[in-house]
Every structure is written in structure tokens, then in C-alpha cells.
Amino acid sequence: MTTATPASGSPVQARLLRDGAVVADAWLPPAEQTPGDGERRILTLAQWQDAGCPEDAAVQLEADDNPAPLLGALAGLALVAVHFEAFTDGRGYSVARQLREAGFAGELRARGQLLPDQAHYLRRCGFNALEFPDPGRLAQAQERLDAFSTAYQGAVDQPLPLFRRRA
């Protein structure tokens, strides 16, 4: 398993599937304290707003957060993470679609209580990175992404339905 070494110097086991590949994660999860010098920490929406909405930041949205404050700053954000408190909560799918349709082209990460079986649907809604609390789920999610070669319906990842692509 790949490891990453954040600014704190301690290695962290990779828990990230980005664009179909298992990779090390350079971002530290959100915390209550302000990030230290050189730390690449994902900020909560409130922390990001309190810091003056800095560009090149990473912001995490909770399921009940309104993404509207981010919409004007999407071009400058390095990462937007959407936290799923439960795998049964579908609000994160809608947030991802809204961010992609608003023009966000950066890393859009689903994190939290995810199941590998959701990987394909998460990608269709616009997520290009998946973070699992259990790194053993990475290989399973990668297999699920490879299980489908095409989709009939249009979605964020492929706007045209299959019958339009065949014409």
C-alpha cells in the first residue's frame, strides 16, 4: 500500500482512489485547529469562510452544507470534498452534480461512510476521487469502477445518452 508523508512527518497509509488509481493523499483531514505552516489541511466550509475564502484551498462540505458560497470561487479551489456521514445519504450526489455543472474542474472527493458498490454512481455524478476509512476497500472500489464499460443514460461524466453517441 502506498504511503504519504504529510508536513507533520508521520507516514499516512493511502486511502484514496483518484481517477481510478490508488494514490497517496497529500491533504490532511479537517480538524478544529487552524492548519500549521506548510500543512495541507482540508478546511470546513466555516473555516474557509473565516479565513477569507483563500484560493488554492481545499474545502469539505457536510451533507447539510449549502455549496452556494463556493460557486464563485470554484476556479481557484484545489479540492472540494463531500463528507458522507452514512452511505444511505444521497445528498452528496446532488452536491457533486451541482458543483460540476457550475464548472468545477478540480478534484471532487467523496469521503466518509462509502461502500465500494457506490463507486460507479459516485463517478457518474462527478466525483473523481474516493476516500475510504478502510484502505481494504480501495481495491474493491477499483474493481467496481472497471465493471461498467459504458452507460446508457447521460450524466455528469458523459452528458450524452448512448443513443446520441451512436449517431
Side-chain angles (χ1 to χ4, degrees), residues 30-155:
E32 289 186 24
Q33 71 271 14
T34 305
D37 289 339
E39 270 189 340
R40 292 183 60 158
R41 182 169 302 281
I42 299 172
L43 304 173
T44 65
L45 181 60
Q47 289 170 334
W48 180 73
Q49 289 174 313
D50 290 346
C53 307
E55 288 193 6
D56 201 32
V59 180
Q60 176 170 297
L61 296 172
E62 297 298 325
D64 56 350
D65 284 342
N66 182 352
L70 294 178
L71 298 181
L74 290 176
L77 293 176
L79 159 70
V80 176
V82 178
H83 184 250
F84 286 77
E85 286 191 33
F87 73 91
T88 57
D89 188 351
R91 293 177 288 180
Y93 292 91
S94 299
V95 169
R97 185 176 145 230
Q98 185 178 5
L99 292 171
R100 289 296 189 207
E101 288 179 349
F104 183 60
E107 180 178 325
L108 185 54
R109 180 184 301 188
R111 63 187 315 266
Q113 300 304 313
L114 305 172
L115 298 175
D117 290 344
Q118 294 173 298
H120 174 71
Y121 304 109
L122 290 162
R123 180 175 59 189
R124 302 258 16 241
C125 290
F127 289 103
N128 67 316
L130 310 176
E131 181 183 341
F132 294 89
D134 175 9
R137 303 261 182 165
L138 290 172
Q140 295 171 348
Q142 198 170 27
E143 288 174 10
R144 300 316 190 275
L145 287 176
D146 295 338
F148 298 96
S149 61
T150 193
Y152 294 113
Q153 304 87 359

